[in-house]
Amino acid sequence: SSSRSAVFLVHIALEAPLVVQTFLAPTSLPFIQMTNTTVVLLKLYAAIVTATCIASALVYPLPEFLPGKRALAIALCVYHSVASTILFQAPRFIPHTFGTLFESLKITPESVWGTFHGVVGFTMVVWWQLTLQYADAFRGRA
């Protein structure tokens, strides 16, 4: 596994805390207007994200040219890009703040979370581009 594959571990690091908290204590999540429906949807979301984290851990040590690893990278790129877009467009739903200075600069927990997702999505694209040569070389041998 190359250092480029660390992006799969970054996905796990970003998602695992929310997954663990959602499964263990969903009502303690800092969201506004939590209902039973919200808790169920969060648990379903956490189940899907758990699957992507397990898949990321499994493909991390594999060679870059394998089609399954590349397919997961594109799926994670799409997921993180969509999550980033949703979070940037979302109304405030986390009732915490970084302080009045940050609020005046429009830096909210939602925008920071969206930025992290955007960075991971972009990093997946970078990984894809950096590993194209391995996939091309593999296809040339097949």
Side-chain angles (χ1 to χ4, degrees):
S1 169
S2 74
S3 61
R4 289 181 289 268
S5 289
V7 68
F8 291 96
L9 300 179
V10 172
H11 165 73
I12 296 169
L14 179 62
E15 299 298 337
L18 179 63
V19 166
V20 170
Q21 190 171 2
T22 299
F23 283 137
L24 297 180
T27 56
S28 70
L29 288 167
F31 298 141
I32 297 171
Q33 298 176 346
M34 289 282 282
T35 65
N36 289 339
T37 303
T38 309
V39 170
V40 169
L41 290 174
L42 278 171
K43 285 184 176 186
L44 289 171
Y45 166 77
I48 292 169
V49 172
T50 299
T52 66
C53 288
I54 291 168
S56 293
L58 291 173
V59 303
Y60 167 71
L62 298 176
E64 265 68 9
F65 59 81
L66 293 178
K69 186 170 186 175
R70 300 186 66 72
L72 178 63
I74 288 301
L76 292 176
C77 174
V78 170
Y79 162 73
H80 284 289
S81 299
V82 170
S84 178
T85 302
I86 290 169
L87 288 166
F88 279 127
Q89 294 176 356
R92 290 296 306 269
F93 64 93
I94 301 175
H96 296 291
T97 179
F98 297 123
T100 55
L101 173 63
F102 290 102
E103 286 290 326
S104 69
L105 298 172
K106 305 288 187 207
I107 300 174
T108 64
E110 294 85 359
S111 67
V112 171
W113 196 11
T115 300
F116 287 148
H117 277 287
V119 167
V120 175
F122 177 74
T123 307
M124 287 291 177
V125 171
V126 170
W127 177 87
W128 179 272
Q129 291 299 319
L130 290 175
T131 60
L132 275 175
Q133 63 189 356
Y134 302 118
D136 289 343
F138 177 72
R139 274 188 233 114
R141 287 186 277 158

